[in-house]
Amino acid sequence: MNELLAEFAERAGRYLSGLQTRSVPPTAEALEALSRFTEPLPERGTDAREVLRLLDEIGSPATVATTGGRYFGFVTGAVLPAALAANLLAGVWDQNGAYRVMSPVAAHLEEVAMGWLLDVLGLPADAGAGFVGGATTANIACLAAARHALLRDAGWNVEEDGLFGAPRIRVVVGDEVHTSVLKALSLLGLGRSRIERVPVDGQGRMRADAMPELSGDTVVCIQAGNVNTGAFDPAEEVCAAARAAGAWVHVDGAFGLWAAASPRLAPLAAGFAAADSWAADAHKWLNVPYDSGIAFVRDAEHLRAAMSVGAAYLLAGDDREPCHYTPDMSRRARGIEIWAALRALGRAGTAELIERCCRHAARFAEGFRAAGHQVLNDVVLNQVLVSFGDDETTRRVVAGVQADGTCWFGGTVWQGRAAMRVSVSSWATTDEDVERSLAAVLRVAADG
């Protein structure tokens, strides 16, 4: 085992040190080499060091360098050194994060991390939280808690009696609702086509003046950080209207909720703490390893009622049991990495990480405009949308940049126009990375 771990450390170090010089997407040759993995299952086992060698020599070149400084596709964070080390140690521990008796250290660190997260994000200190796989699962958990609460108030026990014959639940969303929320609604039996959509403005923000009249049977889903523009829905107005009507407000805040961790950017998140539930990702802006989402619910009992399980052999203690707040039972101990990242960064470091990414995004926008290209959004956070002319030209530039390999950006369609989408989410991105990437994009665009 020690020899295997020593070889792993050597190979891992070589991979990380090579990120600055390799192409961000894998080369055609690396992708072609993946066919070497396709073989009949061996009759006899293979030495663990040989398995590691195959993974590294064939697999490493075929990865996308998302943990480097020049990946700007989707909202994908890198991995902080402390979080990576914690992930590796937790893997050695091989802890099941379901119950405290299964892993006292995992349960305790998760509870500490929960308190730190509520603090740094400006959420109610007594809110409940579940550590889940990502924002989609966090949305599921939060909306399950909303479903429980609204139907309980209507005299219906949805956990026992299901949805057959249950009172209705209205769902109100903005036209820019993220697909993960729609998936959550469909899995919870609330449907995608039954939702009421609210028009949005030119930045994708829900228009408060176009909100329907709310009622006590309503869930309103709002966004902290539009996935294309980074814009924030008008939380203060929406939450005030919902509170008056007895409605539930859920926040899809996968990456945008982290703005609350920065004193400079916190005004963008004003009013969101008045909601009833919040979904966030730690593998985005906190830069912990995949996968790591968090479901927050103002009233912890609503989350517990929607998620908890029981059996004669599952001996719960008097303290918080992690699996009572998540859809999973057996699961990896994700809270360990979140604790490590926050402990390493501290409050100031967390804010600086968020602000630095936003500064890089602003520099991209400045460079695009200076070269005569059109930035389509107000760059308020870490997202930039840029057009290089007509849709065909823009798509050609995106494809050219991806083929170039210096950096990686994705394409999107924003309010009817093709755009290149820039997401800056990595702690590893430097000023040099931004300038090098900007130069590559402008070179591809100029080459026609």
Side-chain angles (χ1 to χ4, degrees):
M1 179 66 81
N2 287 341
E3 289 180 359
L4 179 67
L5 292 176
E7 183 169 344
F8 158 77
E10 180 183 346
R11 290 181 180 276
R14 190 183 310 132
Y15 177 85
L16 292 172
S17 64
L19 290 173
Q20 279 297 93
T21 56
R22 60 161 282 181
S23 167
V24 175
T27 64
E29 293 76 16
L31 295 177
E32 185 177 349
L34 287 174
S35 63
R36 293 169 57 193
F37 282 133
T38 306
E39 60 179 344
L41 177 66
E43 289 296 327
R44 299 183 180 278
T46 306
D47 180 77
R49 292 179 67 181
E50 173 65 8
V51 172
L52 178 63
R53 183 190 70 79
L54 289 170
L55 279 173
D56 182 34
E57 294 183 4
I58 304 173
S60 290
T63 60
V64 178
T66 52
T67 199
R70 287 174 282 109
Y71 183 82
F72 306 104
F74 310 101
V75 189
T76 298
V79 55
L80 287 162
L84 175 59
N87 172 269
L88 296 174
L89 186 58
V92 171
W93 291 348
D94 190 26
Q95 300 290 278
N96 185 337
Y99 278 86
R100 191 172 293 268
V101 70
M102 294 176 173
S103 180
V105 64
H108 188 79
L109 288 177
E110 183 173 297
E111 199 161 1
V112 173
M114 178 178 70
W116 288 355
L117 287 167
L118 293 170
D119 180 19
V120 79
L121 295 175
L123 301 179
D126 57 350
F131 291 69
V132 297
T136 300
T137 312
N139 282 322
I140 292 170
C142 290
L143 291 170
R147 184 182 66 176
H148 162 83
L150 295 182
L151 290 179
R152 184 206 63 175
D153 290 347
W156 188 270
N157 186 331
V158 67
E159 287 76 33
E160 294 296 326
D161 300 326
L163 288 173
F164 294 104
R168 77 162 187 168
I169 293 179
R170 294 174 61 201
V171 180
V172 175
V173 303
D175 265 338
E176 277 290 314
V177 60
H178 193 271
T179 186
S180 65
V181 173
L182 298 179
K183 183 174 185 177
L185 293 171
S186 69
L187 289 172
L188 291 168
L190 300 177
R192 301 179 191 229
S193 63
R194 295 177 63 254
I195 60 177
E196 301 172 43
R197 288 181 175 266
V198 179
V200 298
D201 65 13
Q203 297 300 311
R205 294 178 291 241
M206 180 187 287
R207 284 176 43 203
D209 64 334
M211 285 275 295
E213 185 175 348
L214 302 179
S215 51
D217 59 356
T218 307
V219 179
V220 185
C221 298
I222 61 175
Q223 286 187 338
N226 179 281
V227 74
N228 281 302
T229 67
F232 289 69
D233 283 337
E236 291 178 324
E237 295 93 323
V238 173
C239 289
R243 191 71 60 217
W248 181 290
V249 178
H250 170 63
V251 177
D252 176 19
F255 67 97
L257 201 59
W258 292 96
S262 157
R264 184 174 70 80
L265 298 167
L268 292 170
F272 281 90
D276 299 283
S277 60
W278 307 262
D281 268 336
H283 59 232
K284 287 187 166 63
W285 241 348
L286 191 58
N287 282 212
V288 305
Y290 276 88
D291 52 17
S292 187
I294 316 105
F296 300 102
V297 177
R298 175 180 295 277
D299 187 332
E301 276 306 303
H302 292 325
L303 181 60
R304 179 184 167 87
M307 296 288 114
S308 63
V309 295
Y313 72 96
L314 297 174
L315 302 177
D318 294 332
D319 295 321
R320 176 184 180 275
E321 296 291 1
C323 81
H324 288 174
Y325 299 88
T326 70
D328 300 317
M329 291 180 64
S330 295
R331 60 183 175 87
R332 69 184 193 87
R334 299 181 180 95
I336 295 171
E337 297 146 18
I338 294 177
W339 174 88
L342 290 171
R343 186 68 170 78
L345 290 170
R347 188 185 306 277
T350 304
E352 196 275 333
L353 168 60
I354 304 302
E355 292 171 4
R356 180 170 11 114
C357 289
C358 294
R359 176 171 57 79
H360 290 326
R363 171 60 189 137
F364 272 118
E366 174 190 297
F368 293 141
R369 290 193 189 102
H373 304 299
Q374 184 180 8
V375 174
L376 303 179
N377 66 311
D378 297 335
V379 182
V380 296
L381 205 63
N382 64 327
Q383 303 293 102
V384 183
L385 297 177
V386 58
S387 167
F388 298 95
D390 58 41
D391 288 358
E392 182 180 351
T393 301
T394 296
R395 293 190 181 103
R396 178 187 55 75
V397 172
V398 172
V401 170
Q402 292 176 355
D404 175 79
T406 301
C407 49
W408 203 95
F409 299 87
T412 189
V413 176
W414 176 247
Q415 298 190 344
R417 295 187 63 182
M420 188 174 78
R421 179 170 169 267
V422 181
S423 299
V424 189
S425 313
S426 172
W427 73 273
T429 300
T430 63
D431 291 342
E432 180 184 355
D433 287 322
V434 173
E435 297 304 325
R436 181 178 169 188
S437 300
L438 184 58
V441 174
L442 298 182
R443 182 183 69 249
V444 170
D447 286 346

